[in-house]
Amino acid sequence: MGFGLPDEIATVRVDAFKKAYPGVEVAINQGQFDEQAFLSAVAAGNPPDVVYLARERIGTYAARGAIQPLDACVAKEGIATGDFYPAAQQQVKYDGKWYAMPEFYNSIVLLVNNKAAKDAGVAPQDIDTSDWDALAALAKKMSKVSGGKIERFGFYPKLPEFLPLWAKANGADILTGDGRTSLLGDPKVAEALEYGDRLVRSQGGWTRLKAFVDTFDYFGEQNPFAKDQVGAMLTEQFVVSAMAGTSPDADITVLPFKDRQGRPVNNVGGNAWVVPKGAKNPDAACRWIKTMTAADTWVAAARARADKRAKEGKVNIGTYTGNAKADEVIFSQIVKPSGHKAYDDAVTVIRSVQEAGFVVPQSGAAAEFTKAWQDAATRVLLGRAKPAESLRQAQEETQRALDDAGHS
Amino acid sequence: MRRLRPETRWAYVFVLPWLAGLLVFQLGPMVASLVLSLTDYDLIDSPRFAGLDNYTRMAEDPKVARAIGNTVLYTALHVPLAIVIALALALILNRVTGRAAGVFRTVFYLPSMTPYVAVGVLFLFLLNGQAGMVNQFLALFGVSGPQWTTDPDWMLAGIVVMSLWNLGTTTIILFAALRNVPRELSEAAMIDGAGAWQRFRAVTVPMISSALFFVVIINTITSLQMFDQVYTMYFSSQTAQQASGDAALFYVVYLFQQAFQFLHMGYASALAWVLFVVIALITLVQVKVGGRLVYYEAEEHA
């Protein structure tokens, strides 16, 4: 459940499992993860054996007992958990136990539209997000508004979604490492949100800009970079990967997002495999999870992707897995320079920010926590509340939810 | 025991499938939800009795107040608008005769064939403040349109605009009623020197008042239960949800969130029961008031 077979990255790994365990019948209920369907299945006592979902949800489900710990599975099958990136490991653990195994490892980078930078009189590679005043000035210069109509979003800070990243760039965490104490009330978080809000306000205001970005199609040939609709934006690397397929000659530059001290910051995420409570074949589920996330399987999948893109004459920027050991092989042996400098440089940048990856610590109230800070940021962007008071409210809401959840 | 006549017995046999369906799929779940509304239930662990906690919590929940406010405001805007526009359409249809009539009747009903989810997605595009056709149209008259889909002050207005897409059923009902207005009455009034407006006011409206009354009740109930389109537009994904805040939070949407997103099944059941009681009350009031305003031909008039 939650998984699909849209491409070779999926099919190659599924075939690897079928070959290794011919006795196990695999039935994939394709389609996006649907919380309602999942929880109803668990409640009815008839869940799928294994489910594929976003890692940030794990804490909530673990605390509710909807998914089971995998410690026994890890021990029995000898899953090499040490191969996973540390941030990915942290995100699939709750209360000191493994509850999932990570799939992809999505990094956040700064994607620059070179034309917009040049229009603003700046060399794209000189853009540096550590200087907030300069960044605000650049955002304003790159944005184009005429008569209330947005023509180009100068710098899209990707708020409210990326608030944890902005907080980190300002040197603040939003939740303590043990997942028990909310830090949303930290003045540094408010400062980051205030800055982001100022960026948005100076470029035309949230309601207009949001309506504008709602029209974007990041994954098609008519993406906002091809259409010169955005100057620069923070985004997960998979947008770059998709653009490599659709717009190989795009005039773009990929840069690390730097904190105010000039160090790269990167809020990582991705999906994961979990075993629901009441799964009928936990052993097979465990083997499935092991196969899907193992270094060898990933390498085979990445090779298939590289071959396919090569055959189609398309650029391949590689497959960014949660498995560091697999990535070593993928990026030293499989991904070769494509001759498209923008994308070849992008690979180097994405690889370089991976080790700076951090996650918001897992908690039993992960869903409520996320909703509270997103609401808080939205209130500010809509001009309904000041950053400090809005985040203070979120601090109270989240602390109550954290105190209520799990930890019994 | 009195023996049933054979026809009566057969009638019961034929009604039986429906009765069984009513018990299993309607009354059963309703009773179950009434019981659940008195418990704390998260689907995974078994229900825990909580008395009237869920109901007292509703009274204190600011989101419930917000959702009720949005829903009532929407209903107050949608119902009169929908009926006036549908009546206008029905009057136009009533004028079209000959071979074209069938075509027009079909065309007028077509929008109602669009699934609600598709309507929601469609209007998300049409109403988009930057690229939508609604604002492009307004721009022709030099009006700079609002950000319908992202500005909380305009979201509800946008939803009302969208709701006027599905008027087919109301139009058809009113049209059928108009067809039944006897021509003689209108002609008699004309001979007495009544103008078009007077004839409409004094003859047509009273003659279709029972149909009007019926569509008022039906539209009120469906407005209070508004869900599909709004959910598709503003609540289908996490990004959509956080962008809209509470501006598009309708009562049933909140109920759905409580039930299936936060797994507060007991609380959601309580919300459902309050809605049921409110709708029953509103309908009762409308029937009482309507009885005085509606003209029924079959009744004795002194």
Side-chain angles (χ1 to χ4, degrees):
Chain A
M1 186 188 267
F3 191 61
L5 300 170
D7 57 19
E8 58 286 352
I9 301 283
T11 51
V12 166
R13 289 182 300 144
V14 172
D15 289 345
F17 176 82
K18 285 181 180 164
K19 221 162 129 195
Y21 304 99
V24 180
E25 195 186 324
V26 179
I28 297 174
N29 180 0
Q30 291 204 50
Q32 276 207 341
F33 174 75
D34 180 285
E35 181 164 52
Q36 187 195 340
F38 167 62
L39 292 169
S40 313
V42 172
N46 191 24
D49 289 324
V50 65
V51 174
Y52 186 62
L53 47 70
R55 293 205 276 272
E56 64 260 19
R57 295 167 182 266
I58 291 168
T60 304
Y61 294 148
R64 283 202 176 125
I67 56 176
Q68 15 178 315
L70 300 179
D71 288 13
C73 155
V74 168
K76 193 170 157 213
E77 293 293 330
I79 296 180
T81 51
D83 287 355
F84 302 128
Y85 286 100
Q89 292 185 33
Q90 186 192 345
Q91 214 176 9
V92 295
K93 272 184 173 172
Y94 174 72
D95 240 7
K97 293 197 204 83
W98 297 103
Y99 272 92
M101 292 295 133
E103 276 258 312
F104 293 101
Y105 189 74
N106 297 323
S107 294
I108 293 172
V109 289
L110 178 70
L111 181 52
V112 180
N113 170 2
N114 291 352
K115 182 176 179 305
K118 281 170 198 151
D119 286 353
V122 178
Q125 63 277 9
D126 291 345
I127 295 176
D128 185 344
T129 56
S130 60
D131 182 346
W132 281 12
D133 290 334
L135 184 62
L138 177 67
K140 198 135 184 254
K141 260 196 241 168
M142 289 199 293
S143 78
K144 271 202 262 179
V145 184
S146 85
K149 221 173 147 64
I150 311 284
E151 280 165 9
R152 191 205 278 150
F153 196 158
F155 171 53
Y156 181 16
K158 209 69 194 286
L159 284 169
E161 298 97 314
F162 288 178
L163 181 66
L165 180 73
W166 281 101
K168 194 74 155 184
N170 201 27
D173 288 314
I174 60 172
L175 182 62
T176 53
D178 61 6
R180 289 178 191 219
T181 311
S182 170
L183 300 172
L184 286 167
D186 184 336
K188 285 194 158 178
V189 182
E191 190 189 5
L193 178 55
E194 198 201 328
Y195 175 72
D197 179 46
R198 192 146 41 89
L199 278 180
V200 168
R201 217 161 284 279
S202 74
Q203 299 180 72
W206 174 244
T207 58
R208 286 204 173 86
L209 291 165
K210 170 75 174 120
F212 187 58
V213 301
D214 280 348
T215 67
F216 288 179
D217 169 21
Y218 295 107
F219 302 101
E221 272 174 47
Q222 294 295 309
N223 58 63
F225 287 87
K227 288 171 84 175
D228 192 23
Q229 287 176 322
V230 64
M233 72 180 289
L234 292 173
T235 183
E236 290 94 347
Q237 100 280 329
F238 54 72
V239 168
V240 182
S241 185
M243 278 180 65
T246 55
S247 327
D249 298 314
D251 193 11
I252 54 162
T253 305
V254 172
L255 298 169
F257 180 60
K258 290 183 183 159
D259 68 11
R260 298 182 81 179
Q261 270 69 51
R263 292 171 306 221
V265 273
N266 174 14
N267 186 4
V268 292
N271 277 1
W273 294 100
V274 298
V275 180
K277 173 187 157 190
K280 304 275 185 300
N281 306 297
D283 292 340
C286 181
R287 283 182 200 128
W288 170 274
I289 291 175
K290 183 189 181 190
T291 309
M292 295 304 275
T293 58
D296 294 350
T297 334
W298 273 124
V299 170
R303 188 162 279 133
R305 158 64 59 90
D307 291 349
K308 181 151 177 275
R309 288 258 171 130
K311 209 178 286 164
E312 293 168 349
K314 284 184 179 166
V315 181
N316 175 35
I317 69 160
T319 305
Y320 298 85
T321 79
N323 192 314
K325 199 173 151 203
D327 276 10
E328 281 302 319
V329 180
I330 293 170
F331 290 96
S332 61
Q333 296 174 20
I334 297 174
V335 178
K336 294 277 178 301
S338 62
H340 295 261
K341 189 168 180 312
Y343 291 107
D344 294 342
D345 291 350
V347 174
T348 317
V349 170
I350 296 166
R351 287 287 285 159
S352 76
V353 299
Q354 284 184 316
E355 64 177 38
F358 78 94
V359 294
V360 175
Q362 205 57 258
S363 75
E368 289 95 333
F369 187 78
T370 307
K371 183 159 182 2
W373 63 252
Q374 287 184 338
D375 285 350
T378 306
R379 281 195 294 273
V380 172
L381 291 167
L382 288 172
R384 306 253 145 149
K386 292 264 172 287
E389 71 180 80
S390 189
L391 285 166
R392 242 193 325 270
Q393 182 190 336
Q395 160 90 38
E396 282 165 23
E397 287 170 9
T398 49
Q399 196 53 56
R400 213 174 310 135
L402 291 169
D403 291 343
D404 286 352
H407 300 303
S408 44
Chain B
M1 201 180 123
R2 197 165 56 90
R3 283 200 49 189
L4 294 171
R5 289 216 320 240
E7 296 99 283
T8 322
R9 215 176 311 148
W10 277 112
Y12 279 117
V13 170
F14 284 124
V15 171
L16 207 59
W18 178 81
L19 271 178
L22 180 77
L23 280 176
V24 177
F25 296 114
Q26 305 260 341
L27 287 178
M30 276 178 77
V31 172
S33 87
L34 183 61
V35 174
L36 282 180
S37 78
L38 302 173
T39 65
D40 192 1
Y41 180 43
D42 71 353
L43 274 182
I44 294 166
D45 303 308
S46 44
R48 207 163 38 77
F49 184 74
L52 292 174
D53 279 6
N54 287 323
Y55 292 93
T56 44
R57 191 174 140 204
M58 267 182 78
E60 292 157 7
D61 188 342
K63 292 229 171 186
V64 169
R66 184 74 207 261
I68 290 177
N70 284 342
T71 309
V72 169
L73 183 59
Y74 166 78
T75 307
L77 289 171
H78 167 81
V79 175
L81 269 177
I83 288 179
V84 168
I85 295 173
L87 183 58
L89 292 175
L91 285 168
I92 296 172
L93 267 188
N94 202 28
R95 294 218 139 192
V96 182
T97 48
R99 234 191 297 170
V103 177
F104 278 104
R105 283 174 211 171
T106 314
V107 169
F108 275 43
Y109 192 73
L110 267 184
S112 294
M113 307 287 283
T114 329
Y116 282 144
V117 174
V119 174
V121 175
L122 174 70
F123 272 83
L124 213 45
F125 286 118
L126 292 178
L127 290 170
N128 185 292
Q130 290 295 314
M133 277 173 72
V134 172
N135 277 4
Q136 283 175 7
F137 177 74
L138 290 176
L140 293 179
F141 306 97
V143 178
S144 162
Q147 308 299 315
W148 301 95
T149 55
T150 51
D151 185 342
D153 295 333
W154 283 96
M155 274 184 199
L156 202 65
I159 292 167
V160 172
V161 169
M162 169 183 68
S163 74
L164 300 177
W165 177 264
N166 292 75
L167 292 179
T169 313
T170 310
T171 309
I172 290 295
I173 292 171
L174 292 177
F175 170 64
L178 284 174
R179 301 274 292 170
N180 283 331
V181 177
R183 193 166 270 277
E184 312 89 75
L185 290 178
S186 227
E187 280 168 1
M190 212 184 322
I191 292 166
D192 286 345
W197 173 248
Q198 277 179 313
R199 266 178 284 143
F200 175 71
R201 274 285 292 117
V203 178
T204 314
V205 170
M207 289 306 289
I208 62 166
S209 59
S210 61
L212 274 175
F213 177 59
F214 174 73
V215 293
V216 166
I217 292 192
I218 292 298
N219 272 291
T220 308
I221 294 176
T222 49
S223 297
L224 292 174
Q225 294 177 338
M226 176 70 159
F227 176 74
D228 305 53
Q229 300 102 304
V230 176
Y231 191 81
T232 316
M233 284 176 87
Y234 296 115
F235 296 90
S236 54
S237 71
Q238 255 205 329
T239 30
Q241 277 194 25
Q242 30 110 340
S244 67
D246 292 345
L249 189 68
F250 277 59
Y251 191 85
V252 182
V253 171
Y254 187 59
L255 190 163
F256 183 87
Q257 283 189 323
Q258 285 298 330
F260 297 107
Q261 206 175 339
F262 304 126
L263 294 184
H264 301 147
M265 285 293 166
Y267 191 44
S269 299
L271 285 165
W273 268 89
V274 169
L275 179 66
F276 176 72
V277 170
V278 168
I279 288 181
L281 281 178
I282 290 178
T283 312
L284 196 71
V285 169
Q286 284 178 335
V287 169
K288 288 271 181 236
V289 177
R292 267 185 265 145
L293 302 175
V294 175
Y295 168 80
Y296 290 108
E297 244 176 299
E299 280 172 24
E300 294 284 335
H301 288 274

